[in-house]
């Protein structure tokens, strides 16, 4: 199996910054499209940042200019750099990735992490 695991969450003050990491594990051959989602308490899970396999990046409106999605292919890790955080950014953040496992050729598996909590205090 292949999987992803998020880290880097926690409690931060308004205006602060955090860097979330999404580490892919298992028999990973390659990673394609990746995305970060956020689920606020009592709300649905929404996409906030996406990066295509070709490197094209899109952001949800509230994240534009404040969040940056990136990847380090040598470490099989996807990052979400967040700055100028505010309480509305509070929620559980999930990593989603298309991962090609060993033995699957070029077929990818849609993989979700368990999420990591981000809480922004005022």
């Amino acid at each position: 199996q292949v999987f992803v695991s998020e880290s880097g969450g926690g409690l931060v003050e308004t205006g602060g910054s955090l860097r979330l990491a999404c580490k892919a594990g298992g028999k990973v051959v390659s990673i394609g499209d990746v995305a970060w989602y956020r689920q606020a308490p009592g709300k649905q899970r929404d996409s906030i940042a996406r990066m295509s396999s070709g490197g094209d990046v899109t952001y949800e409106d509230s994240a534009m200019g404040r969040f940056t999605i990136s990847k380090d292919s040598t470490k099989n890790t996807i990052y979400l750099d967040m700055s100028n955080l505010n309480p509305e950014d509070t929620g559980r953040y999930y990593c989603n990735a298309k991962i090609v496992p060993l033995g699957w050729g070029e077929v990818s598996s849609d993989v979700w992490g368990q999420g990591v909590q981000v809480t922004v205090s005022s």
Side-chain angles (χ1 to χ4, degrees), residues 36-111:
W36 285 94
Y37 286 72
R38 178 177 63 218
Q39 187 166 26
K43 298 183 179 180
Q44 67 179 3
R45 187 180 302 181
D46 293 321
S47 173
I48 57 172
R50 306 182 67 85
M51 177 181 284
S52 73
S53 60
D56 296 323
V57 176
T58 57
Y59 296 98
E60 191 269 336
D61 288 343
S62 67
M64 186 76 68
R66 300 189 301 123
F67 292 7
T68 301
I69 186 171
S70 62
K71 64 181 178 182
D72 184 342
S73 297
T74 65
K75 298 180 179 180
N76 284 337
T77 302
I78 302 98
Y79 299 98
L80 183 68
D81 290 293
M82 305 182 293
S83 64
N84 195 24
L85 288 162
N86 58 68
E88 288 70 42
D89 297 316
T90 292
R92 193 162 185 86
Y93 286 70
Y94 297 85
C95 177
N96 175 233
K98 304 295 190 295
I99 301 176
V100 178
L102 182 67
W104 285 35
E106 295 185 29
V107 179
S108 65
S109 176
D110 188 39
V111 183

Side-chain angles (χ1 to χ4, degrees), residues 5-11 17-22 36 80 82 116-118:
S5 180
E6 303 97 334
S7 62
L11 177 65
S17 301
L18 284 174
R19 186 180 219 194
L20 306 183
C22 171
W36 285 94
L80 183 68
M82 305 182 293
V116 62
Q117 181 68 31
V118 172

